[in-house]
Amino acid sequence: MPGENLSRDEARERAALLSVDGYEVSLDVRSAVGEAQGEGPRTFRSVTTIRFRCNEPGASSFADLVAPSVTAVSLNGRDLDPSEVFDGSRIALEDLAADNELVVDAQCAYSRTGEGLHRFVDPEDGEVYLYTQYEPADSRRVFANFEQPDLKAPFRFEVRAPEEWTVWSNGAGERREEGRAALPQKGGGGRRAGGVWRFAETKPISTYITCVVAGPYHYVTDSYERVFEDGTRLEIPLGALCRKGLAPHFDADDVFLITKQGFDFFHDHFDFPYPFGKYDQAFVPEYNLGAMENPGMVTFREEYIFRGKVTRASYEGRANTILHEMAHMWFGDLVTMEWWDDLWLKESFADFMGAFANVGATRFKDAWITFANRRKAWAYRADQLPSTHPITADIRDLEDAKLNFDGITYAKGASALKQLVAYVGQDAFLEGARRYFKRHAYGNTRLGDLLSVLEETSGRDMAAWARSWLQTAGVNSLTPQVLLSGAGTVDELAVVQEAAESHPELRPHRVAVGLYRRTAEGALERYARAEVDVEGPRTVVAELAGAEAPELVLVNDDDLTYCKTRFDDTSLATLREHLGSVTDPLARALCWSALWNMTRDALLPARDFAALVLRFAGRESDIGVLQMLHAWTGSALVHYAAPEWRQTGGRLLAEGALRELRDAAPGSEQQLAWARFFASVAAEEADLALLRGLLEGTEKIDGLDVDQELRWTFLAPLAAHGAADEGVLAAELARDDTASGKRHQVRCLASRPSEAVKAQAWAQVVESDVLSNALVEATIAGFAQPSQRELLAPYTEKYFAAIERVWAERSIQIGMDVVRGLFPSLRDSQDTLEATDAWLSAHEDAAPALRRLVLEARDDLARALRAQACDGASGGR
C-alpha cells in the first residue's frame, strides 16, 4: 500500500518515548471548489503544531504524514529541510529535547477513496461536500501527527472554508471573519458560513477519532437535557446533517428520538455523563463504513437516509448503528485500547450495546432476534475462515488492523459479552463497566484492565473465561442427544459439544435447552426449559429427565451463547414439516439460523433449504428474519446448489416469490420484501416481462408502490439479462439524476451481458484509479453476475495476474474492494481452486493482508464446492 506501514513494535517504542500535550491543526479547504490547479492531485494546505515531551532527551523518533509535498518543517524553532526529513509518509525527528514543538506545513491531497479528507461533487447540483474518515490510520493524510491510539492529546482545529460553507469538528465551533467578532454556531454546528472556523479544544482523544465535516450541508438542530440525582444538569446540543439533495427524505426527528433514548439509556446504566459537549451526526456520501464514532461529530453512510419505502428492519438497523456509535463515546473514545490487538474492547462492546440499548430504550424490542439472525451469521462465517483469530487478536501492523474490523471483532465479541452477562449477571457486568470508565477515563487500556474490574464486581475467575472465549478461535457446535424411556418420556438428555480439528477448544457455555411439542391447535410451543453449564464433550441436562418426549429440542434456546446449533434426527424431521408452526419468533429465528449453518456446512442440501423457505417463509412475522432468509436463499442458489439444479431452483424460487408477492397484504412490508426477492431471482422471460411492465405502468400489483429505489431494483435483473440497454439506463438516470441514481446506473451498466462491457468495467476498476470508492464498489457489484459465469471465464487468469500490483499501488480500501469483489467465485470449479492454490504457492512473500484475503476467498470457494456436492448427492429430493 502507498505509505509506510506502522508496526506494533514501532508504536510501542514511540509510546514509551513520547507523550503528547496538544495539537493545533489549521486546514485551508477553499481549494475544494473551482478548477483544480496544475497537474497531480487536488490538494489543501495543512499546518500542524504538535507540542510533546520526550523522556530521553537526545533521542530520535518520527511523526506520521502521508502527503504529496511538505512546504516547511520546524522542530523547536529550528528549520529542517523537508527533502531530508520527509520520505512521503514519515518525518524524521532527531535530537529531541525534553519539551518539543513540531510545526509542519504541508500540501495534503483530497481523497476519492473515502480515506482521509474525502471530496465529493454532487452530480445533482454541482455542490462540493467534504468529510474525514480515519480509522485506523488515515488522519496522517490530513495533518501531521503521531498516528497510534495510545498517544492521546487535546486537539484544536481551525478551518478556512468557502464563504457559503459551514464547518463542523469534534468541538463546538465559531466562525470569524476578518476584522469581525466571533459568530457562535447554533447547536454546535451552525447555519452561517464563511471565513475562518475555530473549534473548542477537545478532551484528550486519539488521532483516528478527530473529524472535520465541511460544505453546504442541510443542518437540523435539537437538544438533549438530563437532570441527575445529585441535581446536576446536563445539556447536549444535538445536530443532524446531510447533503441538500437528501433533505426532502431526511427524517431527522426519528434520528433525534433514537439519540435521546440512547442518551437516557446509557446515562442510566453507565453513571458517567457524556463528556464531549455537543453531539452532531453527519450522514455523508461515498462512505466506506456504516458509521464512525468521532466524539461530538459522528459520521454515517448517507444510505441511512431512505429515499424510498423500506421495512421496519431498515429503521431498526439505523437505530442500532446510532446506538452502537453512541456506546463508543464511552467504550472507545473515553477509554481507548492501547493498540489494535484490543480493538474488541470498543467494537465488541458497542455491538453488544447497540442491541442491548435498542431493546431497552427504543421501539425495537425484538433487536435480539436481529442479533441472533443477522449479526451472528456474520460471526459464524468469519470464525470458520482460515483467517479466524481470537477476539483479542495478534495485530502486527496497520494492515492487520484494517482487516480485523470483521465479524469476529464485532459480532462474535458481542456474542461473547452476551454469554458473559449470562455468566456473571447483568448487574455485575454493568457495575464493571462503570468502574472501568471511572478508573481509565481519557486513558488507554488492555484486556487485563477490563478483566480486573469484572473480577471485582462478579467474584468470578475472569482469566479462565477470557482464555476460553477471548483468546481462542473457532466456533463450537452443540447437538442434543435424547434417550427415551419405554413410557415415552425423556430418560436422559445430553448436549454434545464438538469443535473443528483446526481449533479444538471446547468452551464453557451457559445455555438454555428448550423442549417443544405441537399443541392441539398445531402450534409448536415450548413446554419445558432448563439452563445448564455445558462443559467438555458431553453434558447431561438432569433437570429435563422425565419430561414428556419432545418433537423438537432446541439447544441454545433464548440465544444465550455463541455456537452452531445442531438437531437430532427427530427435531430435524419436525422442522421439515412444522417449522412455520414454531410460535416464538426468537426460537424460530434460531432454527432458521441453524438450518442455514447446516447448509453452509454441507449437512443440508441447498435445495432442501430453499424448499423450507418456499414452504414456510411466507408465514414469517419478523420482517428482518424474512429479509435475511431471502438473502440466504439467494446465496444458496448461487453458491451452494448443484450446477445442474440452478436453473430449476431459480425457476422454483421465482414462482414462489411471485406467489407470495401477490398474496401479501397490499402495501405491507412483506409485499415489499417479496418484490425485491422476486426481482433478485427473476430470469425467465415472463418474469422479466412482469418487471418491465411494473416499470412502465402496464402491470400492477395491488398496493405495490414502485418508487425510485424499487425501480432500480427491478432494472438490475433486466440489465443483467440483456433486457435493459444503455439507453434505458440513461433514461432512468435522467429521471433520477442524483448521486444515488448514478451509483445504481453504474452498477447496472457493468452488469450487462457483453464481453465489451466486462472489459470496460475491468479496466475502469483494475487499470485505472479515476473512479471514486463508491463507483468502484458499484462497478464491482455489477461486474460478476450469476447468469454470466461463462462470460467471466477470461478474468480468472487476469485476476491473479493483477492483484499484487493493485495491492501495491492502490489504497488499502480500494485494494480490499478489488481483491474481495473480483475474486472469480462464480467460476466455481476445481480449476479455480487450483489456480488459487497456485497463486498462493507462488506468492508466499506477498503482503500478509493480501494473502489473507485470497485465503478467505479460497475457503469460501472450497466450502461452495462441498455444498454443491452435498446438494448434487441429494438427487431429486
Side-chain angles (χ1 to χ4, degrees):
M1 292 296 153
E4 286 293 322
N5 206 352
L6 177 70
S7 73
R8 175 177 53 204
D9 290 343
E10 289 176 309
R12 285 176 177 170
E13 181 179 342
R14 186 164 61 177
L17 185 67
L18 307 181
S19 56
V20 187
D21 295 319
Y23 287 84
E24 293 179 9
V25 180
S26 178
L27 307 176
D28 189 340
V29 298
R30 290 173 293 182
S31 57
V33 298
E35 296 296 323
Q37 301 297 312
E39 298 182 356
R42 183 188 290 258
T43 62
F44 58 94
R45 188 182 182 193
S46 169
V47 181
T48 306
T49 301
I50 314 175
R51 295 178 178 86
F52 64 100
R53 284 166 284 135
C54 175
N55 62 24
E56 295 180 16
S60 301
S61 190
F62 61 93
D64 301 296
L65 176 68
V66 177
S69 65
V70 172
T71 306
V73 179
S74 72
L75 177 62
N76 299 330
R78 184 175 75 254
D79 291 337
L80 306 179
D81 185 343
S83 66
E84 294 181 359
V85 299
F86 178 61
D87 65 2
S89 62
R90 295 184 178 187
I91 300 169
L93 305 175
E94 305 287 343
D95 193 22
L96 292 171
D99 295 287
N100 300 273
E101 181 177 275
L102 174 68
V103 181
V104 180
D105 189 343
Q107 289 294 317
C108 295
Y110 294 103
S111 171
R112 298 287 313 285
T113 67
E115 301 154 294
L117 180 58
H118 188 79
R119 178 179 179 269
F120 173 78
V121 181
D122 193 333
E124 188 172 0
D125 55 18
E127 295 280 18
V128 176
Y129 295 89
L130 304 179
Y131 64 86
T132 58
Q133 172 56 38
Y134 298 148
E135 192 174 38
D138 286 318
S139 64
R140 56 184 174 160
R141 299 181 186 277
V142 177
F143 59 93
N145 59 55
F146 300 115
E147 186 80 282
Q148 57 192 79
D150 59 343
L151 287 178
K152 285 184 163 184
F155 287 80
R156 287 186 181 271
F157 283 92
E158 174 185 277
V159 182
R160 286 172 170 78
E163 179 69 23
E164 65 277 11
W165 280 17
T166 307
V167 184
W168 294 262
S169 186
N170 303 90
E174 61 181 19
R175 177 182 61 85
R176 290 181 180 270
E177 296 181 78
E178 297 301 327
R180 298 189 184 182
L183 300 174
Q185 292 175 296
K186 297 180 180 179
R191 297 180 184 276
R192 299 182 63 189
V196 180
W197 294 81
R198 293 190 175 93
F199 296 90
E201 184 175 76
T202 69
K203 299 287 189 179
I205 58 176
S206 301
T207 55
Y208 75 90
I209 50 175
T210 59
C211 184
V212 171
V213 176
Y217 285 90
H218 170 72
Y219 186 59
V220 185
T221 61
D222 203 335
S223 64
Y224 168 84
E225 295 183 4
R226 171 91 176 200
V227 179
F228 295 98
E229 291 183 359
D230 63 0
T232 59
R233 185 182 189 86
L234 175 67
E235 181 174 356
I236 305 172
L238 305 178
L241 51 151
C242 68
R243 288 186 296 114
K244 291 191 293 186
L246 284 175
H249 309 287
F250 192 22
D251 52 339
D253 286 348
D254 192 52
V255 171
F256 287 138
L257 172 63
I258 299 297
T259 301
K260 293 175 184 179
Q261 290 171 331
F263 272 128
D264 275 341
F265 184 85
F266 291 129
H267 283 132
D268 285 343
H269 288 84
F270 288 171
D271 192 30
F272 196 112
Y274 171 71
F276 297 111
K278 70 179 182 70
Y279 199 76
D280 285 318
Q281 297 175 95
F283 295 79
V284 297
E286 298 190 323
Y287 203 54
N288 289 324
L289 311 177
M292 185 65 207
E293 67 268 19
N294 316 301
M297 187 68 255
V298 183
T299 43
F300 298 81
R301 65 186 301 118
E302 68 179 16
E303 285 78 3
Y304 281 121
I305 297 174
F306 307 120
R307 300 197 314 150
K309 182 179 179 179
V310 297
T311 68
R312 178 182 171 89
S314 295
Y315 289 100
E316 180 189 324
R318 183 175 70 183
N320 184 282
T321 303
I322 289 172
L323 296 169
H324 175 118
E325 303 309 322
M326 186 180 290
H328 273 311
M329 300 300 117
W330 290 267
F331 286 108
D333 294 359
L334 176 67
V335 184
T336 311
M337 70 277 159
E338 187 175 290
W339 177 249
W340 302 101
D341 292 347
D342 284 312
L343 175 62
W344 81 281
L345 280 173
K346 71 184 188 76
E347 294 302 348
S348 298
F349 274 88
D351 216 48
F352 171 81
M353 286 293 170
F356 185 52
N358 233 357
V359 171
T362 77
R363 63 187 183 273
F364 302 110
K365 302 303 180 185
D366 292 332
W368 284 125
I369 297 177
T370 305
F371 180 82
N373 196 243
R374 182 179 295 272
R375 300 299 286 181
K376 283 181 133 177
W378 181 28
Y380 293 142
R381 175 188 175 272
D383 212 8
Q384 296 174 87
L385 291 170
S387 58
T388 187
H389 56 85
I391 295 170
T392 54
D394 179 25
I395 304 299
R396 298 162 295 185
D397 54 34
L398 292 176
E399 287 190 11
D400 278 357
K402 184 74 171 180
L403 268 62
N404 263 44
F405 289 82
D406 59 12
I408 295 170
T409 301
Y410 283 72
K412 181 182 178 180
S415 301
L417 292 177
K418 196 166 188 275
Q419 166 71 194
L420 178 62
V421 172
Y423 179 61
V424 304
Q426 180 174 302
D427 291 343
F429 175 77
L430 290 172
E431 177 58 27
R434 290 188 282 268
R435 296 187 190 183
Y436 180 71
F437 300 143
K438 292 172 182 174
R439 196 168 297 174
H440 302 288
Y442 308 110
N444 296 87
T445 57
R446 295 182 179 182
L447 168 63
D449 297 310
L450 178 67
L451 297 183
S452 65
V453 295
L454 289 173
E455 284 188 348
E456 292 172 14
T457 59
S458 70
R460 295 267 195 166
D461 177 8
M462 296 308 304
W465 178 86
R467 280 194 300 273
S468 292
W469 280 101
L470 303 181
Q471 296 169 333
T472 60
V475 56
N476 301 141
S477 61
L478 301 182
T479 307
Q481 279 187 349
V482 184
L483 299 177
L484 298 179
S485 68
T489 59
V490 174
D491 187 47
E492 181 182 86
L493 192 153
V495 177
V496 175
Q497 179 175 195
E498 297 176 290
E501 290 183 10
S502 57
H503 299 92
E505 176 80 14
L506 296 180
R507 299 186 179 89
H509 296 266
R510 181 69 178 177
V511 301
V513 180
L515 305 186
Y516 290 75
R517 287 185 65 86
R518 281 173 293 156
T519 65
E521 294 76 23
L524 194 55
E525 295 185 346
R526 186 172 71 191
Y527 65 92
R529 175 187 184 275
E531 284 194 23
V532 63
D533 290 317
V534 171
E535 295 186 5
R538 191 173 188 271
T539 302
V540 174
V541 188
E543 188 177 335
L544 294 177
E548 186 178 357
E551 293 180 79
L552 167 67
V553 179
L554 183 56
V555 176
N556 197 29
D557 207 354
D558 298 323
D559 197 38
L560 299 183
T561 194
Y562 170 82
C563 69
K564 289 194 295 186
T565 299
R566 302 299 198 204
F567 299 109
D568 64 303
D569 291 343
T570 299
S571 296
L572 185 57
T574 298
L575 291 174
R576 287 183 184 275
E577 297 299 323
H578 305 291
L579 175 54
S581 300
V582 178
T583 55
D584 181 77
L586 177 57
R588 199 168 56 246
L590 292 171
C591 290
W592 279 119
S593 176
L595 292 167
W596 175 240
N597 278 320
M598 291 174 64
T599 305
R600 280 178 36 82
D601 291 345
L603 298 175
L604 181 73
R607 67 189 68 188
D608 287 12
F609 184 82
L612 287 165
V613 170
L614 288 174
R615 185 171 181 182
F616 298 120
R619 299 165 64 178
E620 181 52 59
S621 60
D622 188 293
I623 192 65
V625 172
L626 177 61
Q627 289 178 281
M628 196 75 246
L629 290 176
H630 289 161
W632 287 343
T633 308
S635 293
L637 179 66
V638 171
H639 297 295
Y640 302 149
E644 63 271 16
W645 187 77
R646 285 176 187 146
Q647 185 173 0
T648 299
R651 177 177 53 78
L652 291 172
L653 289 173
E655 290 173 356
L658 182 57
R659 182 172 59 251
E660 295 291 350
L661 168 59
R662 294 190 185 280
D663 289 347
S668 66
E669 294 181 310
Q670 280 73 14
Q671 183 187 57
L672 177 61
W674 283 108
R676 290 174 175 167
F677 183 56
F678 171 68
S680 73
V681 294
E684 302 287 333
E685 179 52 41
D687 296 333
L688 298 175
L690 174 59
L691 293 175
R692 189 183 304 109
L694 290 168
L695 285 168
E696 295 172 353
T698 58
E699 295 277 1
K700 297 285 186 183
I701 295 177
D702 186 25
L704 185 65
D705 177 19
V706 185
D707 60 28
Q708 186 59 62
E709 286 296 299
L710 197 56
R711 288 184 64 84
W712 285 114
T713 299
F714 289 172
L715 273 168
L718 293 174
H721 290 282
D725 60 19
E726 188 172 0
V728 171
L729 299 174
E732 196 65 29
L733 180 63
R735 176 191 180 107
D736 182 26
D737 191 12
T738 65
S740 300
K742 182 63 177 176
R743 291 194 297 273
H744 287 307
Q745 186 222 20
V746 166
R747 175 174 50 85
C748 288
L749 285 172
S751 73
R752 293 170 295 154
S754 156
E755 289 183 4
V757 164
K758 299 306 174 188
Q760 181 184 34
W762 181 270
Q764 288 174 331
V765 170
V766 177
E767 308 300 337
S768 168
D769 63 355
V770 172
L771 296 181
S772 70
N773 57 320
L775 297 186
V776 166
E777 181 182 346
T779 303
I780 289 173
F783 179 81
Q785 295 297 316
S787 60
Q788 300 167 9
R789 294 173 193 263
E790 293 306 314
L791 195 59
L792 299 173
Y795 291 95
T796 299
E797 184 177 350
K798 292 180 179 180
Y799 171 87
F800 289 114
I803 55 175
E804 195 165 28
R805 171 180 56 81
V806 169
W807 191 261
E809 294 177 355
R810 309 289 284 278
S811 77
I812 191 168
Q813 182 63 51
I814 298 301
M816 289 166 59
D817 290 343
V818 170
V819 175
R820 282 175 171 157
L822 293 181
F823 181 84
S825 60
L826 293 177
R827 301 294 301 163
D828 44 0
S829 68
Q830 189 65 32
D831 288 345
T832 305
L833 200 65
E834 290 173 0
T836 308
D837 288 338
W839 185 91
L840 288 166
S841 296
H843 295 81
E844 292 184 357
D845 295 331
L850 171 59
R851 283 182 57 84
R852 169 178 169 167
L853 293 174
V854 176
L855 281 165
E856 289 177 348
R858 184 212 182 275
D859 190 76
D860 281 338
L861 176 58
R863 177 180 291 274
L865 294 176
R866 292 193 298 272
Q868 289 172 25
C870 169
D871 189 59
S874 70
R877 285 195 313 188

